[in-house]
Amino acid sequence: MSDNNPGTLGHYNPYCSSYVAPYGYRYGAGFLHDLNPYNAWVYTTDYGVWGGQNANDSNIRSWTELPDDVTAMILSRLGAIEILKTAQKVCMTWRKISKDPLVWCRIDLHHDGSYYSPYVHQQLDKMCRQAIDRSCANLVDISIQDFGNDALLEYITDSSPRIRRLRLDSCPVTDKGLSKVASKLPLLEDLEISHTNSCSRESLEAIGRSCPLLTSFKYKDGWQVWFKFDDTNEQALAIAGTMHGLRHLQLLGNAVTTDGLAKILDSCPHLESLDLRYCFNLNLGGDLQRRCSTQVKTLQTSGGSL
């Protein structure tokens, strides 16, 4: 699916009656949404004619005639917001299929507006919980951005024991909150945390001890990327002490030193990729440089694109 435009999905055309959806920040054809009730204006979409195709064309079939598993696959390609705010309102068939737990195996929820609003964050929290409930414990991959808290993180982990990938980007989750839910993620393989200062040595050790299947860990510091902090190996030592099965490690803007990196290389023999951009306390050279080159297949250092 390209740009969430059902008009690109072959010759199927939804013969549903027109419905009204708020026109928001995501421009172009497709499912539109706007979480800001004060900035929305009405945009009416006629599903009988989409993408310039004539609804009376005998070669075009109604979307309601698609097999349920195909429709579920199509809906799963949409974001959670598009499904909950718009797609499930298209017709009764789509509403029924939107409640299929298999549609919610993977959830991606983020605030893509340019403003902060408590109302928006409350709505995102509400939609996230609704999506979690619909997954019926089948969730394996979840990504949330620019909202959330310890209570939401606990709700996610309490309801979803099968999570294999967790991504938290600019979420106000605390160190205590991370430590508390670590034991509820025994199948976690991929963890990504960005722009938060909630990763202390204690919480990383709790994650490492509780998640023996963890093979990928990405951590981007919110400030060290731009400002050089005092060197510290607290996080590096936590990784070296508990995450021995790592194959992919990213520490963007971390305060790790050459001693900390050496500990990681000693303790994580399966590392295949290592991203150390904006780690200003590192001075790779000599034996450590050669060791990185021989032990790790892909090595990124210095600056570069984030």
Side-chain angles (χ1 to χ4, degrees), residues 26 58 89 119 171 180 193 207 234 237 250 262 269 295 303:
R26 190 165 296 182
S58 60
K89 300 177 183 179
Y119 170 80
C171 301
K180 185 175 182 179
I193 302 175
I207 292 170
E234 290 297 300
L237 293 176
Q250 181 183 77
Q295 183 173 336

Side-chain angles (χ1 to χ4, degrees), residues 213-227:
L213 302 181
L214 192 67
T215 58
S216 177
F217 177 56
K218 298 180 180 180
Y219 178 64
K220 182 190 296 184
D221 194 286
W223 294 104
Q224 178 81 2
V225 169
W226 309 113
F227 304 100

Side-chain angles (χ1 to χ4, degrees), residues 15 37 93 104-105 117 134 159 205 217 231-232 240 251 271 305:
Y15 286 179
T93 299
W104 303 99
C105 290
S117 167
R134 289 193 180 188
S159 308
E205 287 178 339
F217 177 56
D231 55 353
T232 175
L251 295 175
L271 273 180
S305 174

Side-chain angles (χ1 to χ4, degrees), residues 260-274:
L261 177 57
K263 288 287 187 182
I264 290 175
L265 294 175
D266 288 339
S267 304
C268 304
H270 306 294
L271 273 180
E272 298 175 7
S273 66
L274 185 58

